[in-house]
Amino acid sequence: MTIMINETTKILVQGMTGKQGQFHTSQMLESGSKIIGGISPGKGGQVVHGVPIYDTVEEAMMAEIAEASVIFVPAKQVKDCAFEAIDGGIKTLVIITEHVPLHDAMEIMAFAERKQVQVVGPNTFGLISPSKAKIGIMPNSIFIPGSVGVVARSGTLSYEIVSQLTKAGIGQSTVVGLGGDRVVGLSFIDVLAQFEADPETNAVVLVGEIGGNAEEEASLFIKTMSKPVIAFLAGKSAPPGKRMGHAGAIIERGKGTYDSKVVALKAAGAYVASLPWEVSDLVKKALAEKKEA
Amino acid sequence: MKLYEYMAKEIFKTNGIPVPQGRVFTSAEGVADFVAQVGPVAIKSQVLSGGRGKAGGIKFASDPLEATDKARELLATEIKGLKVDIILVEQKLRIEKELYLAITYDGARRKPLLIASAAGGVEIEQVAEEKIIKRLIDMNVGLQPYAAREITRQLGLTGQIAKEVATIMVKLYQLFRKYDAELIEINPLVVVDSHALAADGKMTVDDDAAFRFGKDVPFVEEKTAVEQRAAELGISYVELDGEIGVMANGAGITMATLDLIHEFGSSPRNFMDAGGGSSKEATAGALEILLSTQPKALLINIFGGITRCDEVAKAIIQVKESIDIKVPMVIRLVGTNEEAGIALLREHGIESYRNIDEAVAKVVAFVKVKGA
């Protein structure tokens, strides 16, 4: 088992005929994803990579019910497409696009909450259950299947951490990118709870960063978990008041600092790696200690 | 993008939130005439940094002559390193009460958040937590008058003032939505002659929503020239004060790279997230920015994933041949065709590695040798 997606998850791709949409559709198909339709208004009836294109989500859902959808459209159009997917009955929505306006993101989350839809992103690399399915843009080659769950705020940094795990022979059950924006759908806790409940996940790696209090809030939940959590955080050396690329990655008024996050995580019983390549050793150590206990 | 106080107040005024009688000046000319009409005034420098009052950015004058002198004085000063180009001259208020009111967002709760306090006039961080009212707003409902009435009750307001403050709250939320604001703050919201008005105004609007801003949203440039150039190239750039120029792809990995440079005993000259592109033009532009800040060495950390490393390598080599790079350059390259990319770079005399620890150790060693 995995969380959120597997080889049976039926997926729509919104914005499939664009350059990004086409390329990543082929990559997702290669990783095993069951893509049953693409949405591109005005292009219904075409076929891309063997996948039928529909004009609207409703039309696609009449042909076959999809559980998940991934959005590749420009930022201006994201709100409309997200509403369309949520209204159309999609249960898991992944928004890859970055620079989605803050108010649009909040409106999307309000509607998703009402319809009980889980939203991954915006500004996420997506999620993958290696060898089963991928909804996102990450390179397939760095993942191997296994029993360590990974949840991250940041894209390439999680590739770095996952590569280290893979090199050390540690496979992943599911890897989830929450997204780097100020307002995103899933929180660390939402994903940690699913990993905790997943019988095939034995440990969880959390990749966080400075800014906000997502890691501090996650710590409250980690305290209650039976599975070990290994954390790595970026931004240890970042000066206060400078926004480091991600909208959320800024230390404001002494809040969201590296130290406050490490203290909270350690107090909750999490292992904290201070260097990226220490993560795989800590995962092995955590699993060994768990076995002894 | 942060708006100046006078811009925020102009928006308040046109949308029915009362503000003090005031006028904007870029020179002392005309100040005397205005003061002759309205009496004693506050003269407020229009700068975007906080804590303006403490830094001497606000002066008071009781007659036209004094006002002219002080206006001239303020226009010749710098507040926290920012030159004062514009002043707002406002009628001095006989303040009976100071409140705090703001609407912003709560990222963790994914909702707009109203913050109010009866202890206004000081920075909200300095107000005791129990004196601050916070209320999340459901976007499906908006901020309705009933919620505003409840907040004014909690603030201890009654009668006409309670009514006026509640109306301002509802209007403030409408502005928050209309202008795609990240923050609208009135601090203080004052009571003068038994009426409420916005004595100050702060507004930050969302750059990502700029495509739908109306003509009434002014443009304010906050970036340095180098940051502006980076923004044009689609690069996220922040200047720091260390030794090593850094370029990486992705915000998280860039931060982690800076951390590692510290860990190995040096310091970064900048934060640069060059995003996903690998074109020659983008790489050249990024390198030019890095070199313009005169670092002692360069570190490029590309976790390409899907990106083809041989193409990245070719772009870097082309750039190296066209720009004179006098400082050592170390590259870490991972992704599709990484072996070919690394080999290509080595052939052209550029140190390159697959492992991040090796690359950081090498670039720090260059800086240390030079420094010794």
Side-chain angles (χ1 to χ4, degrees):
Chain A
M1 252 180 70
T2 54
I3 67 163
M4 298 176 69
I5 56 164
N6 59 38
E7 64 277 21
T8 66
T9 310
K10 293 179 187 170
I11 304 160
L12 294 180
V13 178
Q14 292 175 265
M16 195 202 261
T17 54
K19 195 182 157 208
Q20 293 289 317
Q22 285 208 27
F23 175 70
H24 289 294
T25 297
S26 74
Q27 294 285 309
M28 287 189 278
L29 287 167
E30 210 170 85
S31 71
S33 302
K34 195 169 181 183
I35 298 175
I36 61 164
I39 315 298
S40 279
K43 298 198 173 156
Q46 296 183 10
V47 174
V48 174
H49 299 304
V51 178
I53 303 292
Y54 302 95
D55 284 322
T56 65
V57 169
E58 273 191 48
E59 187 194 7
M61 295 290 264
M62 278 191 280
E64 191 173 1
I65 301 284
E67 289 108 34
S69 185
V70 55
I71 290 182
F72 280 105
V73 304
K76 284 183 195 191
Q77 297 157 25
V78 165
K79 183 169 94 173
D80 185 33
C81 286
F83 278 6
E84 185 184 13
I86 297 166
D87 203 18
I90 291 295
K91 287 299 158 202
T92 299
L93 180 63
V94 181
I95 304 173
I96 304 295
T97 313
E98 59 179 339
H99 296 302
V100 173
L102 172 73
H103 285 241
D104 291 2
M106 289 195 291
E107 283 187 62
I108 292 166
M109 301 317 158
F111 190 34
E113 200 177 298
R114 239 169 75 201
K115 296 272 191 173
Q116 293 181 301
V117 172
Q118 52 181 356
V119 180
V120 183
N123 192 12
T124 174
F125 59 81
L127 66 163
I128 181 168
S129 298
S131 293
K132 290 178 176 160
K134 173 177 90 168
I135 308 182
I137 56 170
M138 51 291 219
N140 299 340
S141 59
I142 61 171
F143 300 90
I144 54 170
S147 58
V148 172
V150 179
V151 57
R153 274 217 252 174
S154 178
T156 32
L157 180 58
S158 8
Y159 303 171
E160 179 82 49
I161 302 289
V162 169
S163 306
Q164 307 275 353
L165 291 175
T166 295
K167 257 189 226 164
I170 301 167
Q172 306 93 40
S173 53
T174 303
V175 178
V176 184
L178 301 177
D181 280 1
R182 294 156 289 189
V183 167
V184 294
L186 290 185
S187 69
F188 278 125
I189 295 177
D190 297 325
V191 180
L192 288 170
Q194 297 191 59
F195 279 133
E196 175 73 359
D198 174 35
E200 280 186 17
T201 297
N202 294 334
V204 185
V205 171
L206 181 153
V207 184
E209 64 190 32
I210 52 153
N213 64 343
E215 289 80 5
E216 287 87 336
E217 290 200 348
S219 299
L220 299 175
F221 183 79
I222 291 171
K223 228 177 243 172
T224 69
M225 286 175 68
S226 68
K227 295 173 186 177
V229 174
I230 301 90
F232 175 76
L233 306 171
K236 188 180 187 176
S237 64
K242 302 261 186 189
R243 178 168 287 179
M244 295 300 188
H246 279 165
I250 180 169
I251 299 170
E252 285 176 299
R253 302 172 192 122
K255 281 183 188 163
T257 64
Y258 180 84
D259 289 342
S260 74
K261 289 173 192 293
V262 170
V263 167
L265 286 162
K266 284 192 170 163
Y271 299 76
V272 181
S274 53
L275 298 167
W277 50 88
E278 286 174 6
V279 172
S280 48
D281 284 344
L282 280 179
V283 170
K284 285 179 182 165
K285 186 178 167 214
L287 288 172
E289 284 179 2
K290 195 187 161 207
K291 234 176 208 171
E292 280 169 28
Chain B
M1 179 176 72
K2 280 183 188 162
L3 302 187
Y4 288 102
E5 175 194 6
Y6 75 91
M7 295 171 171
K9 281 184 167 164
E10 189 59 43
I11 291 173
F12 287 174
K13 200 172 149 191
T14 50
N15 288 278
I17 295 176
V19 297
Q21 199 183 343
R23 196 174 291 171
V24 171
F25 295 92
T26 52
S27 76
E29 202 178 318
V31 170
D33 287 348
F34 180 68
V35 177
Q37 283 170 40
V38 300
V41 289
I43 306 168
K44 305 163 95 176
S45 59
Q46 298 296 290
V47 286
L48 293 174
S49 106
R52 168 185 63 172
K54 271 186 222 151
I58 300 176
K59 298 197 181 296
F60 298 94
S62 46
D63 60 65
L65 256 175
E66 193 189 3
T68 305
D69 281 350
K70 291 201 167 160
R72 208 168 273 142
E73 212 177 290
L74 262 186
L75 282 164
T77 53
E78 279 189 0
I79 304 296
K80 294 187 171 182
L82 300 167
K83 197 174 167 297
V84 179
D85 293 322
I86 301 168
I87 50 171
L88 174 63
V89 181
E90 279 184 341
Q91 191 172 36
K92 201 176 166 199
L93 305 169
R94 282 195 310 278
I95 294 169
E96 293 158 28
K97 196 191 263 292
E98 291 186 301
L99 307 165
Y100 176 93
L101 184 60
I103 297 183
T104 182
Y105 65 96
D106 182 330
R109 305 276 97 73
R110 310 168 189 88
K111 288 182 172 77
L113 175 72
L114 182 144
I115 305 172
S117 175
V122 291
E123 285 195 36
I124 194 70
E125 290 78 29
Q126 282 149 20
V127 176
E129 196 64 34
E130 66 271 15
K131 286 186 180 164
I132 298 174
I133 298 160
K134 288 186 179 175
R135 192 178 179 105
L136 287 167
I137 300 167
D138 181 343
M139 282 188 117
N140 295 315
V141 180
L143 184 74
Q144 295 296 329
Y146 76 86
R149 286 196 297 274
E150 170 56 23
I151 297 161
T152 56
R153 187 193 65 79
Q154 289 179 27
L155 285 168
L157 303 176
T158 53
Q160 181 61 24
I161 290 300
K163 269 188 197 167
E164 287 184 15
V165 171
T167 305
I168 289 173
M169 276 183 208
V170 170
K171 285 187 173 156
L172 205 64
Y173 179 73
Q174 287 162 356
L175 289 184
F176 176 77
R177 294 288 286 130
K178 181 176 167 191
Y179 288 93
D180 275 285
E182 294 173 358
L183 168 77
I184 308 190
E185 183 185 79
I186 303 177
N187 187 26
L189 175 67
V190 297
V191 177
V192 173
D193 299 330
S194 301
H195 290 289
L197 80 169
D200 198 356
K202 259 192 202 146
M203 213 166 149
T204 308
V205 293
D206 178 11
D207 292 333
D208 288 336
F211 65 88
R212 62 183 170 218
F213 286 167
K215 283 203 181 76
D216 54 338
V217 179
F219 179 75
V220 180
E221 186 53 73
E222 295 172 78
K223 296 187 173 85
T224 66
V226 177
E227 284 169 349
Q228 179 61 34
R229 170 90 182 104
E232 284 163 15
L233 288 167
I235 292 168
S236 169
Y237 177 87
V238 180
E239 205 162 314
L240 302 169
D241 51 13
E243 304 177 310
I244 298 174
V246 180
M247 170 182 160
N249 61 333
I253 205 165
T254 309
M255 265 190 280
T257 307
L258 305 190
D259 294 347
L260 285 174
I261 288 172
H262 272 281
E263 200 72 39
F264 279 73
S266 182
S267 55
R269 185 78 189 85
N270 65 282
F271 168 98
M272 180 187 276
D273 169 10
S278 60
S279 76
K280 193 192 158 218
E281 291 68 33
T283 310
L287 279 174
E288 271 166 15
I289 291 171
L290 288 185
L291 291 170
S292 74
T293 63
Q294 293 162 336
K296 291 184 184 167
L298 293 179
L299 173 63
I300 302 179
N301 183 11
I302 302 291
F303 201 113
I306 288 163
T307 312
R308 284 184 51 183
C309 291
D310 48 339
E311 283 177 6
V312 176
K314 276 179 203 154
I316 292 169
I317 290 162
Q318 278 183 320
V319 170
K320 196 188 173 223
E321 278 163 2
S322 59
I323 318 174
D324 185 21
I325 300 176
K326 290 200 176 72
V327 295
M329 177 158 74
V330 175
I331 297 174
R332 186 279 178 115
L333 201 52
V334 179
T336 311
N337 296 350
E338 60 193 32
E339 293 301 345
I342 288 170
L344 218 53
L345 288 169
R346 289 233 166 110
E347 274 168 34
H348 287 80
I350 302 169
E351 296 274 356
S352 56
Y353 301 90
R354 286 173 65 182
N355 290 325
I356 178 69
D357 50 336
E358 288 171 347
V360 176
K362 186 72 197 178
V363 75
V364 172
F366 272 131
V367 172
K368 293 298 160 207
V369 168
K370 245 183 123 187

